[in-house]
Amino acid sequence: MAETGSDVGDMKHDSVSSPGISDQEKEMATNAFEAFKAGSYDESLKHLDSLQELNKEDYKVTMNKAITEFYKSGQTTTSTLKQTLITLKNQMHTAVDDIDGLDDVENSILNYNQAVIHYHMRQYSESISIGEKLYQFLEPFEEKFAQAICFLLVDLYLLTFQPEKALHLLAVLEKLTVKDGNSKNGKGESTYSTNKESSSLKAEFTAMIEAAKSKMHQYKVRAYIQMKSLKACKREIKSVMNTSGNSAPSLFLKSNFEYLRGNYRKAVKLLNSSNIAEHPGPLKTGECVRCMFWNNLGCIHFAMGKHNLGLFYFKKALQENDHVCAQLGDGSNGQAKKFTGIPMCALLANKRYELLYNCGIQLLHIGRPLAAFECLMEAVQVYHSNPRLWLRLAECCITANKGSSEQETKGLPSKKGIVQAVVGQGYHRKIVLASQSAQNTIYSEGQSAAIPVASMEFAAICLRNALLLLPEHQQHDSKPDNGSKSCSQSGTTESGSETSDACSGKTQEGDKFIPAAPSSPLRKQEVENLRCSILACSAYVALALGDNLMALNHAEKLLHQTKLSGSLKFLGHLYAAEALISLDRISDAIAHLNPENVTDVSLGVSSSEQDQGSDKGDLEPVESSGKQTPLCYPSSVSSARATMLFNLGSAYCLRSEYEKARKCLHQAASMVNTKEIPPEAILLGVYLELQNGNTQLALQIIKRNQLLPSVKPASSPDLRKKPLPFQSSQPVQPIQTPSSFTQVQRK
């Protein structure tokens, strides 16, 4: 969910000159500053030119000229201003790392301006680095400048998902505000109690204090939402509604809060009651409220299980985003590739990649993997350090390559799942049985596997990337990993992602955060759940590509995970057995196919740890009634054990233990409904009868599409069902990969 946030303070225009200057220079500086505040930038530049002639060595005059020219251009020459500030800083021979004493406080305005530019260019790491250095010397600064530094850091901490640090700074800000208000009020009462002008100034100052308090309440709500601290958030929501009323920011925040509580209808009602038409627009605030409005509706309907409606709202949000980009003079399909000509505050308005991410996840739920693949491939160019996104791309490839197996699982296993074709008529009529799965469609024949197409080869690359982005051996740690890997959160840049060096570190439980922009960072348990899902998909893809050794390696790693859901454990045994059979290690495969290995088919962790609702509007759904187990996936332990028995019978046949195979087949058939018997099991029965010479009985099995009692096993059958890896409901965007029982042939 997205909510509106206040911008950082304006660029500072320092009119205070160095000590020892003449009265004439003071007057020129004052006149230049007054003209700047009045918006007379040409007049201000004239005063600054005159001042520079008198004092050519003062870098502050050059900086003020650059800032004045920046405002004169309508704040559209961001790159030019950034370069000027860098040049000035090089002339001063100072760097952020060298700020170690009060002597450098005088250069604070220059450093602050650089931090603001980095912020608007989404270079959050550099901005935080400068801001934290300035924060160390907060005491000598005047109250207004100290508040600006704190507000900038609070915004940056929230953008990089560090709510604990943001709350600490907000507490400091409250003290500064109270201290500032008391000192100003005391001074006004004692010195100017009879002055009419002082009363108007006092009223203006009181309004500023109230605005600052309102902004702080909004920031607190955003921080508590990121922390999923609903009780504290509920208290702050009341303060926001009292100070801001029914403004768009307050209603968006309250809607976000209700979304986290699962009150989806109330969240929609609050969004609809917000008057977004009165919002100033992205050119002034850098926020497209209409875009956030449609995006938030899409998130809510996704959580309600209404995926088609959610996709409709996400598309509306994309249209609004493209419209805003067109207004900003960017004709490159919504991608701001240049900074010149666009107001600085509007550089953060483009949310194209976040919206494409949401659209891709939604399309994958709907069952449109190729369209989802296109959206996610564009998003991964920016969020390439997100392991979940690489997993989603792999799921797109897996789903797109399922072939016709999805039709076979919609209802009873009709003869279409067994009979491939019928040739001839009458006495010469022949039935052609399916002998090879149409699952593995090759999209990239004759091309490199690295070419981004929805092929199983590309899925293997995506899954490899996802595993490499996760910390190693975390599942074996009894204590939190305190290794050398820095925990950071990515912020978007034009060429990729900008990693923040200042991460929130650890929570009270000692969890380590792994970046997963544009959504919240992954906690330790979330990383472990994600690793299990990636390993399950990796084993499946390796089997589909015929890489049996790699499939066995992934399956065994999956089974050795410390916290493994019952569903993925079930798949791990099936995939390991499939790989072992292909490697002619039948005895080892039989050990994996023991029905007693299946004791649970639950789908994963509880939804209390769900990672929903980042302040960027990322798609983070809550478990709802709209999410159901795919029909082809075993819904009970008995059904899962029947699946194991069907496959165990196939393995016994390969060892010529036909009596055991017959018992497994009939025992499995007695455990499930006739309609739930997969086509591969029917084929096994046909094979056994043909091997036994019972041609008529084999024909009856095909015609009736059901197993008959008298079955004699034979040698090499063709049954090794391999369901697609089912995505457990872990604290990431849970994608239920449409599963099906398919077969991998072995000749």
Side-chain angles (χ1 to χ4, degrees):
M1 297 287 287
E3 68 265 358
T4 57
S6 302
D7 288 336
V8 295
D10 290 333
M11 304 293 293
K12 293 298 175 183
H13 189 284
D14 186 17
S15 62
V16 180
S17 301
S18 302
I21 65 172
S22 63
D23 293 339
Q24 182 183 3
E25 289 175 333
K26 286 183 180 179
E27 183 180 357
M28 287 181 180
T30 302
N31 292 336
F33 187 53
E34 292 298 330
F36 176 84
K37 288 197 300 182
S40 304
Y41 303 125
D42 289 327
E43 183 181 349
S44 180
L45 284 171
K46 289 179 181 179
H47 291 299
L48 289 172
D49 287 334
S50 302
L51 185 60
Q52 193 171 36
E53 291 178 2
L54 296 175
N55 193 349
K56 295 183 179 180
E57 296 181 357
D58 194 348
Y59 80 94
K60 293 182 182 178
V61 179
T62 306
M63 181 183 69
N64 286 342
K65 281 183 64 177
I67 294 173
T68 305
E69 289 172 352
F70 173 71
Y71 273 84
K72 182 182 176 182
S73 69
Q75 303 184 33
T76 58
T77 56
T78 307
S79 296
T80 304
L81 178 61
K82 180 183 179 183
Q83 189 59 46
T84 303
L85 295 177
I86 291 174
T87 303
L88 287 174
K89 198 163 187 178
N90 291 336
Q91 290 175 358
M92 297 297 298
H93 301 290
T94 60
V96 174
D97 296 335
D98 299 330
I99 301 177
D100 55 2
L102 294 177
D103 295 337
D104 295 303
V105 172
E106 196 172 329
N107 303 323
S108 58
I109 300 293
L110 175 62
N111 291 317
Y112 173 80
N113 287 341
Q114 277 196 312
V116 172
I117 291 178
H118 285 309
Y119 166 86
H120 284 285
M121 297 175 87
R122 307 192 191 201
Q123 297 167 348
Y124 301 136
S125 148
E126 287 85 351
S127 189
I128 288 177
S129 178
I130 296 172
E132 288 181 339
K133 287 291 184 180
L134 291 173
Y135 178 74
Q136 294 176 7
F137 306 104
L138 205 63
E139 190 66 28
F141 299 145
E142 62 178 11
E143 287 86 351
K144 188 176 180 182
F145 184 48
Q147 285 183 4
I149 293 173
C150 291
F151 274 126
L152 173 61
L153 277 175
V154 168
D155 228 332
L156 286 164
Y157 286 146
L158 290 176
L159 285 171
T160 54
F161 300 98
Q162 302 179 59
E164 294 87 358
K165 286 189 174 184
L167 288 173
H168 172 73
L169 270 183
L170 287 169
V172 175
L173 265 171
E174 283 183 336
K175 294 178 181 178
L176 285 175
T177 305
V178 172
K179 176 184 175 183
D180 192 16
N182 291 337
S183 63
K184 296 289 183 181
N185 287 338
K187 182 178 178 181
E189 289 173 5
S190 60
T191 310
Y192 302 105
S193 58
T194 59
N195 193 329
K196 293 182 180 179
E197 185 179 352
S198 70
S199 61
S200 62
L201 289 174
K202 184 178 178 181
E204 182 181 350
F205 176 77
T206 304
M208 289 175 60
I209 294 294
E210 290 301 320
K213 288 181 178 179
S214 176
K215 185 190 294 187
M216 284 188 283
H217 286 307
Q218 292 183 22
Y219 278 131
K220 281 185 179 180
V221 172
R222 291 176 60 185
Y224 287 134
I225 284 175
Q226 286 190 10
M227 296 170 67
K228 310 296 185 294
S229 180
L230 297 183
K231 290 184 179 179
C233 187
K234 186 176 182 179
R235 292 194 299 268
E236 284 300 325
I237 282 287
K238 294 180 180 179
S239 301
V240 169
M241 301 306 293
N242 291 333
T243 55
S244 302
N246 290 330
S247 62
S250 59
L251 289 173
F252 270 58
L253 287 169
K254 190 171 183 181
S255 174
N256 198 335
F257 170 68
E258 296 297 340
Y259 166 84
L260 291 183
R261 297 176 67 187
N263 298 333
Y264 303 127
R265 294 187 180 278
K266 189 172 182 180
V268 172
K269 186 177 180 180
L270 286 166
L271 279 178
N272 289 329
S273 64
S274 61
N275 192 355
I276 59 177
E278 295 181 357
H279 194 266
L283 290 174
K284 293 184 178 180
T285 63
E287 294 170 337
C288 179
V289 177
R290 288 181 176 274
C291 180
M292 288 191 288
F293 172 79
W294 294 116
N295 176 73
N296 290 0
L297 282 178
C299 289
I300 295 171
H301 285 86
F302 178 89
M304 295 169 69
K306 300 178 180 180
H307 301 307
N308 284 288
L309 194 54
L311 179 62
F312 170 78
Y313 289 129
F314 285 137
K315 287 183 176 179
K316 292 279 287 184
L318 266 174
Q319 291 173 4
E320 287 290 343
N321 187 77
D322 292 342
H323 178 66
V324 168
C325 291
Q327 283 184 329
L328 297 176
D330 175 28
S332 58
N333 200 20
Q335 304 177 47
K337 296 183 179 179
K338 57 183 180 179
F339 299 112
T340 305
I342 301 175
M344 185 179 69
C345 69
L347 294 177
L348 294 173
N350 186 11
K351 306 296 182 187
R352 177 175 177 80
Y353 296 103
E354 291 94 327
L355 294 172
L356 284 171
Y357 186 96
N358 286 356
C359 282
I361 301 298
Q362 194 74 278
L363 285 164
L364 193 51
H365 272 269
I366 293 172
R368 297 172 56 188
L370 294 178
F373 182 83
E374 295 299 324
C375 290
L376 295 179
M377 271 308 304
E378 192 167 348
V380 83
Q381 297 176 41
V382 173
Y383 302 117
H384 47 73
S385 61
N386 184 349
R388 287 190 299 197
L389 181 49
W390 288 109
L391 173 61
R392 302 295 170 246
L393 279 168
E395 289 172 339
C396 290
C397 299
I398 291 171
T399 310
N401 283 271
K402 285 193 315 94
S404 60
S405 58
E406 187 178 38
Q407 298 174 354
E408 300 167 12
T409 59
K410 294 290 184 179
L412 62 91
S414 64
K415 286 186 288 185
K416 290 182 180 179
I418 306 170
V419 180
Q420 183 174 343
V422 177
V423 180
Q425 294 180 351
Y427 182 79
H428 298 286
R429 184 169 176 263
K430 307 278 185 189
I431 297 175
V432 181
L433 299 182
S435 60
Q436 188 168 358
S437 173
Q439 169 189 334
N440 302 322
T441 306
I442 300 176
Y443 284 84
S444 57
E445 186 175 358
Q447 297 178 346
S448 169
I451 295 177
V453 293
S455 64
M456 297 299 274
E457 292 83 358
F458 189 72
I461 294 176
C462 293
L463 292 167
R464 196 177 306 128
N465 290 345
L467 275 177
L468 289 173
L469 287 168
L470 295 179
E472 295 181 0
H473 308 302
Q474 187 170 355
Q475 71 273 13
H476 301 298
D477 296 342
S478 59
K479 296 181 180 179
D481 184 10
N482 297 322
S484 60
K485 282 184 177 292
S486 62
C487 50
S488 58
Q489 176 57 38
S490 297
T492 309
T493 60
E494 295 308 315
S495 60
S497 65
E498 187 67 31
T499 306
S500 165
D501 297 325
C503 184
S504 55
K506 304 169 186 175
T507 61
Q508 293 179 353
E509 294 81 11
D511 282 351
K512 180 178 178 180
F513 289 140
I514 304 300
S519 57
S520 303
L522 300 170
R523 293 181 175 87
K524 182 179 179 181
Q525 182 56 48
E526 297 168 343
V527 171
E528 292 179 3
N529 295 331
L530 182 61
R531 188 192 306 277
C532 294
S533 298
I534 295 172
L535 287 172
C537 285
S538 298
Y540 176 84
V541 170
L543 285 173
L545 294 174
D547 193 349
N548 298 306
L549 280 173
M550 187 59 70
L552 179 61
N553 179 265
H554 289 311
E556 289 179 342
K557 281 185 179 179
L558 175 64
L559 292 172
H560 281 89
Q561 299 301 304
T562 54
K563 294 183 179 180
L564 184 64
S565 66
S567 59
L568 293 182
K569 183 179 179 182
F570 165 70
L571 293 181
H573 284 297
L574 279 183
Y575 295 164
E578 171 69 33
L580 288 166
I581 287 175
S582 298
L583 293 170
D584 204 22
R585 294 167 56 183
I586 311 300
S587 298
D588 294 334
I590 288 175
H592 281 284
L593 292 174
N594 185 349
E596 299 301 320
N597 289 335
V598 182
T599 57
D600 178 28
V601 288
S602 61
L603 302 180
V605 298
S606 66
S607 60
S608 61
E609 296 181 9
Q610 288 282 329
D611 184 21
Q612 65 269 28
S614 74
D615 71 328
K616 275 294 177 187
D618 183 38
L619 188 62
E620 299 284 350
V622 179
E623 285 298 315
S624 68
S625 58
K627 298 195 173 182
Q628 299 176 356
T629 306
L631 293 176
C632 53
Y633 192 82
S635 57
S636 64
V637 173
S638 61
S639 178
R641 287 183 173 180
T643 301
M644 299 290 271
L645 284 168
F646 281 133
N647 287 277
L648 183 60
S650 175
Y652 279 136
C653 281
L654 292 174
R655 289 208 314 189
S656 300
E657 297 182 13
Y658 305 128
E659 185 63 24
K660 290 183 179 180
R662 183 185 65 81
K663 290 181 179 180
C664 289
L665 184 64
H666 288 171
Q667 184 182 353
S670 65
M671 294 172 66
V672 296
N673 189 290
T674 305
K675 296 181 179 180
E676 296 179 4
I677 298 176
E680 294 87 351
I682 304 295
L683 282 174
L684 178 59
V686 172
Y687 176 82
L688 292 173
E689 293 305 324
L690 289 175
Q691 187 71 21
N692 197 37
N694 296 330
T695 307
Q696 294 301 320
L697 194 54
L699 285 174
Q700 288 183 24
I701 292 176
I702 295 173
K703 290 178 181 179
R704 298 182 183 181
N705 198 42
Q706 62 183 15
L707 291 172
L708 297 179
S710 59
V711 178
K712 278 191 176 181
S715 57
S716 177
D718 241 346
L719 172 66
R720 281 182 301 285
K721 298 173 297 177
K722 181 163 61 68
L724 287 176
F726 183 82
Q727 175 64 37
S728 62
S729 69
Q730 55 188 8
V732 296
Q733 296 89 348
I735 297 304
Q736 299 175 355
T737 315
S739 308
S740 63
F741 290 116
T742 57
Q743 62 181 359
V744 172
Q745 297 290 41
R746 177 177 179 273
K747 296 182 179 179

